[in-house]
Amino acid sequence: MIIETDRLILRPWSEDDAESLYKYASDPAVGPIAGWPVHTSVDNSRDIIKFVLSADETYAVCLKEDNVAIGSIGLIPPAQSHTAAAEGEIEIGYWIGVPFWGQGLIPEAVRALQKHAFLDLGCSAMWCGYYEGNDKSKRVQEKCGFKYHHTEKDKPCELMGDSRTEHFTYLTKEQWENL
């Protein structure tokens, strides 16, 4: 599936995206604060595309002008959620390369996936989380209507080999309809 917004194309990842993925995911300002290690090579990024980003409802975030992947956004089903998402609920996760921070691109992408989740997939609510200190992610969630729900302390962050405090926000379909 391909989803378009005013400035973006959200499309499935392709192994051809490995170089652009590596370009942005190798920056230490991006992955570690989101809970994943920096990419170490184009081949590493290609493997991530094959084994992680190929999941259903996971999209490359691309500018319409060139369709080059500059970030990622995806919907995470309850069985894989970072928190206690119930059946019919979904979690959303996202990141974007540093050169694109502060331009409102991720909130634009999040709003598109909110619409997709609530209208096309029939979800009743959406979860989103951010690790302590990731104020940019917190701000995206606030802009997109999510409300603070709870905090989980000493939560294992398996990909980084540490424990963190994670804050969770929540948005029901009804709340989204009234934004």
Side-chain angles (χ1 to χ4, degrees):
M1 172 176 229
I2 294 173
I3 299 170
E4 291 192 28
T5 69
D6 288 344
R7 299 179 291 168
L8 301 171
I9 296 170
L10 308 179
R11 60 162 174 81
W13 283 91
S14 160
E15 288 184 45
D16 293 339
D17 294 317
E19 285 188 31
S20 62
L21 176 58
Y22 174 67
K23 179 178 181 179
Y24 300 114
S26 63
D27 188 322
V30 177
I33 197 154
W36 47 269
V38 297
H39 290 204
T40 56
S41 67
V42 172
D43 285 339
N44 175 226
S45 291
R46 188 173 289 106
D47 285 345
I48 297 294
I49 291 168
K50 283 195 268 190
F51 301 112
V52 178
L53 299 177
S54 62
D56 288 344
E57 298 296 341
T58 301
Y59 302 89
V61 175
C62 308
L63 294 175
K64 272 188 174 176
E65 62 199 45
D66 60 14
N67 200 23
V68 173
I70 59 170
S72 187
I73 191 164
L75 299 174
I76 304 158
Q80 297 165 348
S81 176
H82 291 208
T83 192
E87 194 62 37
E89 298 180 342
I90 200 110
E91 184 176 344
I92 191 168
Y94 50 79
W95 66 267
I96 196 165
V98 173
F100 306 96
W101 288 4
Q103 298 176 35
L105 295 169
I106 285 296
E108 188 173 319
V110 168
R111 288 183 191 105
L113 278 197
Q114 286 174 325
K115 181 178 180 181
H116 173 58
F118 290 132
L119 299 184
D120 301 334
L121 302 179
C123 294
S124 60
M126 183 176 282
W127 290 92
C128 198
Y130 63 92
Y131 290 118
E132 184 78 35
N134 191 344
D135 293 333
K136 288 177 180 22
S137 189
K138 176 184 178 184
R139 185 72 189 117
V140 167
Q141 293 167 45
E142 291 169 348
K143 285 180 180 180
C144 294
F146 288 91
K147 303 293 182 206
Y148 173 79
H149 189 274
H150 72 279
T151 297
E152 296 178 20
K153 294 180 184 270
D154 301 318
K155 187 167 180 143
C157 181
E158 293 171 19
L159 294 175
M160 294 301 291
D162 60 19
S163 294
R164 301 178 179 198
T165 296
E166 189 168 6
H167 304 284
F168 287 92
T169 60
Y170 188 72
L171 179 69
T172 66
K173 181 179 180 184
E174 182 178 297
Q175 291 168 328
W176 172 78
E177 290 171 337
N178 292 314
L179 288 177

